[in-house]
Amino acid sequence: MTAVEVVNLVIGLLAVLIAILMFWSLPVPGFSSSDHTSLPFLSIIIPARNESSRIAPLLQSLQEQKFQSFEVLVVDDNSSDNTAAVAKAYGTKVIQNKTNDLESGAGKSLACWYGAKYAKGKWLLFLDADTYFTNADSMKHLLLYYQQKGAKGIVSLQPFHTVHRLYENFSAIFNIIVVVGMNIFTFWRYRFKTAGSFGPCILCNRDDYFLSGGHKKIQGAIMDDLALGQAFLDKNLPVYCLGGKGVISFRMYPEGLKSLIEGWCKSFAVGSKSTNPVVMLMTIIWISGSFIITGALFSSITALNPAAIIFSAILYILYTFQTAWFARRCGDFKWFIFPFHPVLFLFFTGIFLYSLFRVNILHSVKWKDRKINV
């Protein structure tokens, strides 16, 4: 093998090893057999904008929970569909978010804030409309976990991503990076400060929420989840982030590939600024490793170098299984896509660069028919 081939293979192997340290684990709330009768009354706040086709599974799953000491507040965020009618059909209270500030990107944050002001519960659970609890004990386990943590600060879960159509598998790398970018799932755990909280499922107590300023304080933030977590940290309140597998799930961007691109473009360039530089460097090495190994494999095949072919093929297969291992911690992505991991990484890189362009050059992103100024 040539010196260049050896260097590429060594870099590829290091990338595989560094990635293990980068994404060491993704814990989930422990499954407790404790009785839930000691849990306080809960307010569930669901901001919803044009979610009529997605909100029903969540509302159905709430009705199926064994723990039922809660109220559900759906905050209709200027929907143009029948979101409110669907919510009312499940017996939930619907509040209209009547803000006129539609261009600022503050819709969701203000919807959450309105919901919190109307809430009667001692604890507040903010859920995205496209989430749903996976079994009848899910909410109980989440609430008991929060209680075990002293019922202080935030517990947030990243829902387990369910995949129904082929194009949805393009979200695999994004899901991994979202989790890794929180800084606390590396080998070193909480030695790095958390980037904030996961947005789709946030549990906190009422007093801490209003002490932190809540969503009102961070209403101008594009990444409201990261900003809210930081608001709690600024008040020395703890923020716990976990995976949602077995507890809560969601399906992202079922409308099509365009929606998927817009959704990831909206968040990634801004969110990356909260990632620890060490974690960012490991992430870049891992992404680059896929391209380097792929290039080494094609080069060795072209040169008909048996030793290089064997070693580069082994590394390519290792990357395939490692990427699948990481992704399937986050969602039920299909196994057959991972031998094509360079395509997944290339798609991620393209969207990330497009996001940088929208955020830093155009200073705006688009989401749900709203132009959001950055």
Side-chain angles (χ1 to χ4, degrees):
M1 288 189 291
T2 67
V4 173
E5 289 172 333
V6 171
V7 169
N8 286 338
L9 293 175
V10 169
I11 293 174
L13 180 59
L14 286 174
V16 171
L17 298 176
I18 287 171
I20 294 174
L21 300 177
M22 175 193 76
F23 193 6
W24 186 256
S25 65
L26 181 58
V28 299
F31 290 89
S32 174
S33 59
S34 302
D35 190 1
H36 59 252
T37 55
S38 63
L39 293 171
F41 187 70
L42 173 72
S43 291
I44 300 172
I45 300 163
I46 306 169
R49 176 174 170 81
N50 295 335
E51 300 286 0
S52 61
S53 63
R54 288 183 291 269
I55 197 171
L58 170 58
L59 300 178
Q60 181 65 39
S61 73
L62 291 176
Q63 291 184 346
E64 295 169 353
Q65 294 303 299
K66 292 181 180 178
F67 175 80
Q68 284 290 318
S69 182
F70 62 79
E71 63 174 351
V72 181
L73 305 175
V74 173
V75 186
D76 184 14
D77 184 18
N78 291 280
S79 295
S80 58
D81 64 3
N82 62 337
T83 294
V86 173
K88 289 176 181 177
Y90 282 87
T92 63
K93 182 176 181 180
V94 176
I95 304 169
Q96 295 295 327
N97 176 19
K98 296 182 179 180
T99 175
N100 293 319
D101 194 9
L102 301 182
E103 299 297 317
S104 70
K108 178 183 176 182
S109 292
L110 286 181
C112 291
W113 177 252
Y114 289 162
K117 289 197 299 181
Y118 279 97
K120 300 176 182 178
K122 184 177 180 181
W123 290 1
L124 307 176
L125 176 59
F126 298 93
L127 296 174
D128 280 2
D130 58 355
T131 62
Y132 60 92
F133 287 107
T134 56
N135 61 70
D137 289 314
S138 293
M139 187 191 297
K140 181 189 78 170
H141 293 312
L142 172 59
L143 299 178
L144 288 173
Y145 180 87
Y146 186 58
Q147 188 177 65
Q148 291 165 8
K149 289 295 183 180
K152 294 292 292 180
I154 284 175
V155 166
S156 68
L157 304 186
Q158 176 67 3
F160 192 71
H161 188 159
T162 58
V163 174
H164 294 258
R165 298 169 63 186
L166 180 61
Y167 78 88
E168 295 173 43
N169 288 285
F170 278 110
S171 286
I173 304 301
F174 294 90
N175 276 257
I176 297 170
I177 304 301
V178 163
V179 172
V180 169
M182 298 303 289
N183 302 326
I184 56 173
F185 300 108
T186 70
F187 174 79
W188 300 276
R189 297 283 295 153
Y190 280 92
R191 193 168 298 179
F192 296 132
K193 175 185 173 183
T194 180
S197 59
F198 292 125
C201 175
I202 294 177
L203 174 63
C204 60
N205 72 66
R206 183 184 186 87
D207 292 339
D208 288 352
Y209 179 79
F210 286 104
L211 175 64
S212 73
H215 287 88
K216 179 69 172 179
K217 180 180 179 180
I218 54 94
Q219 62 177 305
I222 302 298
M223 298 297 292
D224 55 280
D225 46 0
L226 301 183
L228 183 65
Q230 186 58 54
F232 273 69
L233 293 171
D234 289 343
K235 295 296 184 180
N236 295 315
L237 296 168
V239 176
Y240 305 99
C241 300
L242 301 99
K245 186 175 183 178
V247 179
I248 191 167
S249 297
F250 62 3
R251 181 187 176 193
M252 300 186 75
Y253 314 126
E255 301 87 355
L257 186 60
K258 179 182 177 183
S259 175
L260 183 149
I261 292 172
E262 283 186 353
W264 290 123
C265 174
K266 172 178 68 74
S267 57
F268 254 79
V270 176
S272 65
K273 297 177 182 179
S274 300
T275 302
N276 184 281
V278 175
V279 180
M280 178 66 74
L281 177 61
M282 291 192 293
T283 304
I284 292 171
I285 292 172
W286 180 56
I287 293 171
S288 302
S290 172
F291 300 134
I292 291 171
I293 289 172
T294 303
L297 179 59
F298 279 106
S299 176
S300 62
I301 292 173
T302 302
L304 298 177
N305 187 326
I309 291 173
I310 291 171
F311 282 111
S312 57
I314 290 172
L315 282 176
Y316 190 93
I317 293 170
L318 279 175
Y319 240 86
T320 297
F321 280 99
Q322 184 182 68
T323 306
W325 174 37
F326 288 170
R328 288 181 66 84
R329 286 176 174 175
C330 306
D332 62 348
F333 300 99
K334 309 310 178 189
W335 282 100
F336 69 85
I337 69 167
F338 295 106
F340 306 98
H341 59 81
V343 177
L344 298 177
F345 283 107
L346 185 62
F347 182 77
F348 169 82
T349 303
I351 298 302
F352 183 72
L353 292 175
Y354 179 54
S355 183
L356 287 174
F357 171 74
R358 292 298 306 250
V359 169
N360 296 299
I361 305 299
L362 301 182
H363 301 293
S364 69
V365 293
K366 185 178 180 182
W367 179 237
K368 291 191 176 181
D369 300 320
R370 282 177 173 163
K371 179 183 176 184
I372 303 175
N373 295 320
V374 180

